[in-house]
Amino acid sequence: MDPITALLAQVLDDIRGDDRGAPASYIPELATVDPDHLAFGVVGPRGRIRSVGDDEVEFTIQSISKPFVLAHVLAQRGLSDVLTRVGAEPSGEPFNAISLEEGTGRPANPMVNAGAIATTGMVPGDDVASRTESVLATLSAFAGRRLRVDEDVYHSESSTGDRNRALAHLMRSYGIIDAPVDLAVETYFRQCSILVTVRDLAVMASTLAFGGVNPVTGDRVVQERVARDVLSIMSSCGMYDFSGEWMLRVGLPAKSGVSGGVLAVAPSQFGVAAFSPRLDEHGNSVRGQAIVETLSDRMGMHLLEPHESISQPIVDVSETSDGRVIRLSGELGFAAAERVLVVLRDLATMAPKDAVLLVDGRELARTHPAAMVALRSELELLPGTIRFVE
Ligand code: DON
């Protein structure tokens, strides 16, 4: 077992004994699940899937579909258009709250049921089948394999989904949903009934972690800006009325579902997913949350603690027959440009009068516009001749 998989297995063992909470039962079919299922997976930048526990068990995606359908709709309509029908504010309320903005009928955000139904209502298509197919195609691209709907869970959810139907009727009365209510709601029930494993969810999370490119298939699924927008909303709204404390403790954008899945994203590092059906009072998996929190802690993944890489570019100085070459790689943000300039200033000051310094920036993985402007303009002020190749 490689060291990362061993770490995952250790985390799983550490939380295995926690049997607090109970599986969701308001959707009757979900209550039939084995409550002891437990699984955990991560996917890193090279697309290697590492997973432990019941990683082959399929379960319905439920609310974890919401960020991906949001991505689908954002890609088609753009952020401004989507925000006219659904907000981006944490509601501080349970996921199924009957609560819409005073006057406009706009739901608080796309992660609560009302907002997700409004989002699904924006998926184009003449009937439920074609709308479901376009959602399935996008979720499958995020997962890197063809996904399918669990018909039993769908029927169970549709036959007991009066609260969601009521929300949709209310939103249609405000013009938030244009489509007939059934088109929006039945598509929403079908999207929630899509079957996944913890490995699928980890790949889906990793596609968001790597700016919309699925690291397993290498396919671009959505533009980087869409992935960023989805992660922003997950950061503030993904864990419902626990979202604030989650960000405080774990520091990663995340999304939970009532079947027991939890998905979290460490941008540029990992996609993470966990599965355990027993839920707490917010509708979030008890052990799923514990797994992600433990991993974040042990691997130093909290987004708001200092991450040096953005301010520490790699600077490699070598002597060649053409003179001294300074190779830059990694990420060049504003703080990084300052550090590079300190090194270059020293080298330029020490260099003989007629020497040419070659600064090679072609291996920079990522540059930020303000950093490049600062670097170029400061280079001109240094003594001697400096050539900058980008
Ligand atoms: O609409 C519902 O109630 C379910 N299909 C999804 C809710 C859900 O997953 C909430 N998450 N914790």
Side-chain angles (χ1 to χ4, degrees), residues 26-27 62-63 95 113 157 164 188 192 240 256-258 283-284:
Y26 74 98
I27 299 171
Q62 297 299 335
S63 288
F95 68 85
N113 285 5
E157 193 158 342
N164 283 330
Y188 168 78
C192 290
Y240 308 115
S256 61
V258 279
N284 298 327

Side-chain angles (χ1 to χ4, degrees), residues 10-66:
Q10 184 62 54
V11 173
L12 208 69
D13 281 346
D14 291 349
I15 58 92
R16 191 181 296 277
D18 187 346
D19 64 356
R20 287 173 299 160
S25 55
Y26 74 98
I27 299 171
E29 194 65 23
L30 294 185
T32 63
V33 71
D34 176 352
D36 288 328
H37 281 321
L38 181 63
F40 177 24
V42 302
V43 177
R46 288 197 299 276
R48 176 158 171 198
I49 310 171
R50 292 180 168 92
S51 58
V52 290
D54 302 313
D55 55 1
E56 304 283 331
V57 171
E58 289 190 311
F59 52 96
T60 53
I61 189 167
Q62 297 299 335
S63 288
I64 302 176
S65 61
K66 294 169 180 174

Side-chain angles (χ1 to χ4, degrees), residues 63-64 66-67 90 95 109 111-112 230-244 246 252-257 262-263 284:
S63 288
I64 302 176
K66 294 169 180 174
F95 68 85
N109 67 69
M111 301 294 122
V112 291
V230 169
L231 290 176
S232 305
I233 292 176
M234 282 166 64
S235 302
S236 55
C237 312
M239 302 299 274
Y240 308 115
D241 42 342
F242 191 67
S243 297
W246 173 267
L252 299 174
K255 187 72 206 80
S256 61
V262 178
L263 163 158
N284 298 327

Side-chain angles (χ1 to χ4, degrees), residues 74 79 211-212 220 222-232 366:
L74 283 173
L79 180 62
R220 173 163 292 289
V222 287
Q223 292 305 309
E224 193 176 298
R225 179 53 72 100
V226 168
R228 191 185 91 172
D229 291 346
V230 169
L231 290 176
S232 305
R366 191 176 180 86

